[in-house]
Amino acid sequence: MSWPRSPLPRRMAVNIALDGGLAALAVTLSFWLANPQAPWAWPHFFPLAGAAAIWLIGIPFGLARLHWRFVSFRDLAMLTAAAIVTATMLVLLMIGTGQALPSPAFPVILVLVLALFLTAPKFCYRLLREPTAGREATQSAILVGSGDSTERFLAAYAHSPAQPYRFTGLLALSEKHVGRRVHGMDILGSITSADGALTRLASKPDVLIITAPNLAGTDVQNLLAIAARHGARVLRAPCLTHLAPAEQQVELRPIALEDLLNRQQVRLDHDGMTRLIAGRRVLVTGAGGSIGSELARQLAAHAPSELLLLDNSEFALWRIDLELSELHPSVPRRAVIADVRDAPRIQALMDEFHPELVFHAAALKHVPMVEANRLEGLRTNALGTRIVADAAVASGAGLMVLISTDKAVNPGSVMGASKRVAEMYAQALDVAARHAGYGMRCVTVRFGNVLGSTGSVVPLFRRQLAHGGPLTVTHPEMRRYFMTVREAVGLVLQASVSGSGAEAIPDGGIFILDMGEPVKIVDLARHMIRLAGLRPEVDIKIAFTGMRPGEKLFEELFHGNERPAPSGHDGLMMITPRMADLTAITTALDRMEDAAAAGDEAAALAMVKTLVPEFLPPPGLAVSAAAE
């Protein structure tokens, strides 16, 4: 069997021959420069000695393996060191053989000429082989970022087969760099003075490309608005770890909606999460929803012994089950169609599966929809939570985590009030278990909207954009808290670790996620229009439709009497809302269940009002006084 011959020995031989020839020429020129009056008055074997010396020195320095096309400044230092060592050897050889130096400056001349002859041809070769940036450019672009991120991007882009952009300048992250040049391009301004910098340009750029991976939040929002005023788009370069290898296309991506949030990276206790989850049976209700599916993904990454996915939507359940089969095929799992309102079915599943951890994410969350189906909202959010919790207690679960919402604070909707009732039942169960010293612990986590969740405004805006608008906003002052679903679920798991441990948590304590500053929905609409490369109110209109039943202008994360306190973990706060005795809340839920079964909406809502006196029903909603 014959093996294909590697081209490496042939290339090494060529490199050795070239370096030897260059060294011989360098020695000859050095003697001439050192003594131009007698240029041939030196031993004529010295050029061969120079070649032999560079061949010898090239072994430890690896000169023969040097790839000329990719020679770098680090290689320059290595070649200079090789020239110094070679010159030293030749000078010692002259002295050792009794030859006089042609001049006192000869050693220095020899080093400089050798270094020049060894490095210059290689760098010239690289320059000749370097791809010409912008050879196919059809659009002008300005880069936005630091010098390091810009250099990395340009290095990758230079080897990209398609190069549609011609770079005409830079916008730095700091004013102190303005006026300098990077890779032959002027730093025109900083991100804070971008508007003025673009205004001064006679020829406006087509694109602004963000090369700084950490540039986000307000800076990106302002950059989008400035770019829109000057008719430019904004794109983001791939992160350093995602840059394409040489000769592959560098793919720029549009600015993601998540880039516009002022969210700081929070450090999570992943070791604690693994200790909590690994090797345990875990149940996720509402596993097909936005929160539930992300919970399933992150839980599966911590190697539970088995994962039970429960949802009443066949398609949503099939989708997350398929995804987990691809992402975490080694994690045993079951996908079960069930309704959290079906007490016998839930109890039977709990008795069969015996979950050790239960994450209860199943809920009806869309405010107008629940307002139109109030009893269904109470059955799912309040009574369904009791069914799941009681079944988990009966089957011996050690921890249940309830996913709650900021709409449970001073609720103005049945959806929010039903979630507050669910919170209160979980609080009462947890306090009872803590005081008894045994039983299932309950951790409640409250947070605002997540971007792109089912039924949220973001998918609605995307659909309206696809149809050419208008984007519908209920009120110009409508504000909401937002975070990414991945971050929210990460903090839910962090709260689960804290709530299940020995840390001092007050009776009835509820975790709330630090959601940052609320976002005006109309601003979110404008940002999404700009992200689509369009202009608000010019290309796409924004229409105000009026507030819907149950909606509030702004949501709150805690009641006025609830004072948030640090939880000991970044991104998490602790509050202690009003609690109800377990017996009292159980009695109220029994009456609510009877009223719901009888179809008596007013009586069921009266029990909600009894448990949640701050509940302000929408105008015209009947609440029976007799049931109070």
Side-chain angles (χ1 to χ4, degrees):
M1 180 177 179
S2 61
W3 296 91
R5 296 184 60 186
S6 170
L8 184 59
R10 179 172 58 82
R11 291 176 181 172
M12 289 177 63
V14 171
N15 282 354
I16 290 171
L18 288 173
D19 284 339
L22 290 169
L25 289 174
V27 170
T28 302
L29 182 60
S30 298
F31 274 106
W32 185 86
L33 291 173
N35 187 8
Q37 289 79 23
W40 306 109
W42 44 268
H44 295 296
F45 67 87
F46 259 71
L48 292 178
I54 203 66
W55 291 334
L56 182 63
I57 294 301
I59 296 173
F61 281 90
L63 299 186
R65 299 193 307 274
L66 196 61
H67 200 312
W68 286 31
R69 182 178 178 183
F70 301 106
V71 67
S72 65
F73 284 103
R74 180 175 295 181
D75 297 324
L76 173 63
M78 181 266 292
L79 290 167
T80 303
I84 293 172
V85 174
T86 302
T88 302
M89 291 177 61
L90 290 175
V91 169
L92 291 177
L93 178 62
M94 289 187 68
I95 296 173
T97 56
Q99 302 291 328
L101 297 179
S103 78
F106 177 73
V108 175
I109 293 172
L110 184 58
V111 168
L112 294 176
V113 175
L114 267 173
L116 178 67
F117 272 55
L118 289 176
T119 58
K122 296 176 176 62
F123 276 91
C124 288
Y125 180 82
R126 172 170 179 165
L127 288 174
L128 289 173
R129 294 295 303 274
E130 194 76 15
T132 304
R135 60 181 179 267
E136 303 167 359
T138 57
Q139 302 179 66
S140 62
I142 288 179
L143 301 179
V144 183
S146 65
D148 289 340
S149 64
T150 297
E151 185 172 28
R152 288 193 293 266
F153 170 73
L154 289 173
Y157 187 80
H159 296 281
S160 185
Q163 298 184 2
Y165 301 109
R166 180 182 70 261
F167 305 116
T168 58
L170 305 174
L171 291 175
L173 303 182
S174 171
E175 286 285 348
K176 66 181 180 181
H177 300 298
V178 177
R180 297 183 178 181
R181 289 175 66 82
V182 175
H183 284 274
M185 290 179 287
D186 291 328
I187 299 180
L188 306 171
S190 69
I191 54 174
T192 57
S193 61
D195 195 17
L198 295 181
T199 300
R200 290 190 296 269
L201 293 177
S203 178
K204 307 299 182 187
D206 298 301
V207 184
L208 302 183
I209 299 175
I210 298 176
T211 63
N214 297 324
L215 192 66
T218 305
D219 289 332
V220 176
Q221 293 177 24
N222 294 338
L223 204 61
L224 275 172
I226 291 168
R229 285 198 293 272
H230 294 277
R233 295 177 298 134
V234 180
L235 299 175
R236 187 181 281 282
C239 295
L240 174 62
T241 53
H242 298 149
L243 282 175
E247 309 301 342
Q248 291 190 19
Q249 185 63 38
V250 174
E251 295 290 346
L252 303 179
R253 66 173 177 84
I255 301 298
L257 193 56
E258 291 82 354
D259 294 336
L260 306 182
L261 295 181
N262 284 307
R263 305 294 306 171
Q264 299 296 321
Q265 189 72 24
V266 175
R267 190 171 184 177
L268 301 175
D269 180 12
H270 291 287
D271 291 339
M273 294 177 193
T274 299
R275 288 192 298 271
L276 175 67
I277 298 163
R280 290 184 172 171
R281 295 180 302 279
V282 183
L283 164 64
V284 180
T285 71
S290 306
I291 300 295
S293 60
E294 182 61 26
L295 269 169
R297 293 182 196 98
Q298 295 195 26
L299 287 165
H302 291 284
S305 63
E306 190 173 3
L307 191 58
L308 181 63
L309 308 174
L310 186 150
D311 205 289
N312 66 352
S313 167
E314 177 193 24
F315 175 71
L317 191 61
W318 168 80
R319 187 171 53 186
I320 185 59
D321 184 54
L322 178 64
E323 182 180 342
L324 292 181
S325 71
E326 297 168 347
L327 294 177
H328 303 283
S330 62
V331 174
R333 70 191 183 283
R334 291 175 56 192
V336 175
I337 298 176
D339 194 321
V340 296
R341 303 184 301 182
D342 185 348
R345 169 74 166 148
I346 295 300
Q347 187 61 67
L349 285 172
M350 293 279 192
D351 292 340
E352 177 188 356
F353 187 69
H354 289 291
E356 297 167 86
L357 306 174
V358 176
F359 289 84
H360 182 43
L364 297 178
K365 306 180 182 73
H366 198 261
V367 170
M369 192 64 68
V370 174
E371 286 303 317
N373 302 271
R374 298 183 184 104
L375 288 180
E376 300 307 307
L378 294 178
R379 287 192 183 103
T380 300
N381 295 349
L383 299 173
T385 295
R386 181 172 72 157
I387 289 169
V388 171
D390 289 351
V393 169
S395 65
L399 176 69
M400 185 180 100
V401 179
L402 171 65
I403 305 299
S404 190
T405 170
D406 57 356
K407 295 175 178 60
V409 181
N410 294 323
S413 65
V414 174
M415 182 270 182
S418 65
K419 291 298 287 184
R420 177 65 190 122
V421 173
E423 286 184 354
M424 294 175 71
Y425 191 71
Q427 284 177 285
L429 279 180
D430 187 61
V431 170
R434 286 162 64 92
H435 288 183
Y438 64 89
M440 184 182 75
R441 299 292 307 279
C442 292
V443 172
T444 300
V445 187
R446 182 191 292 172
F447 53 93
N449 294 18
V450 294
L451 285 176
S453 64
T454 304
S456 78
V457 70
V458 173
L460 172 65
F461 284 168
R462 284 178 178 149
R463 187 168 64 254
Q464 291 173 339
L465 275 170
H467 288 91
L471 270 58
T472 55
V473 179
T474 56
H475 193 282
E477 295 301 319
M478 185 73 69
R479 299 169 186 264
R480 292 293 182 266
Y481 291 100
F482 286 99
M483 67 167 37
T484 65
V485 63
R486 182 177 180 83
E487 181 185 11
V489 168
L491 288 170
V492 166
L493 295 183
Q494 181 65 69
S496 306
V497 173
S498 301
S500 63
E503 300 179 35
I505 296 175
D507 281 354
I510 288 179
F511 288 98
I512 58 174
L513 306 190
D514 184 356
M515 300 292 297
E517 295 298 321
V519 177
K520 291 179 71 172
I521 302 300
V522 68
D523 288 342
L524 182 66
R526 293 187 183 112
H527 291 322
M528 291 190 65
I529 292 171
R530 293 188 184 109
L531 289 178
L534 302 170
R535 294 166 296 175
E537 303 295 356
V538 177
D539 302 313
I540 298 289
K541 297 293 184 181
I542 296 175
F544 296 102
T545 58
M547 293 175 62
R548 298 170 295 182
E551 279 191 325
K552 297 193 297 184
L553 280 180
F554 59 91
E555 300 291 357
E556 306 158 274
L557 290 170
F558 44 87
H559 190 276
N561 296 325
E562 299 171 354
R563 297 191 177 276
S567 69
H569 294 278
D570 291 341
L572 288 176
M573 294 182 287
M574 172 67 64
I575 57 170
T576 309
R578 185 190 70 258
M579 292 184 296
D581 177 73
L582 182 59
T583 302
I585 194 172
T586 299
T587 300
L589 285 171
D590 287 340
R591 293 178 179 175
M592 185 188 301
E593 185 175 16
D594 292 340
D600 190 344
E601 184 178 284
L605 290 174
M607 299 315 305
V608 174
K609 183 70 174 175
T610 300
L611 292 171
V612 190
E614 66 270 24
F615 171 43
L616 298 175
L621 178 59
V623 176
S624 171
E628 294 184 7

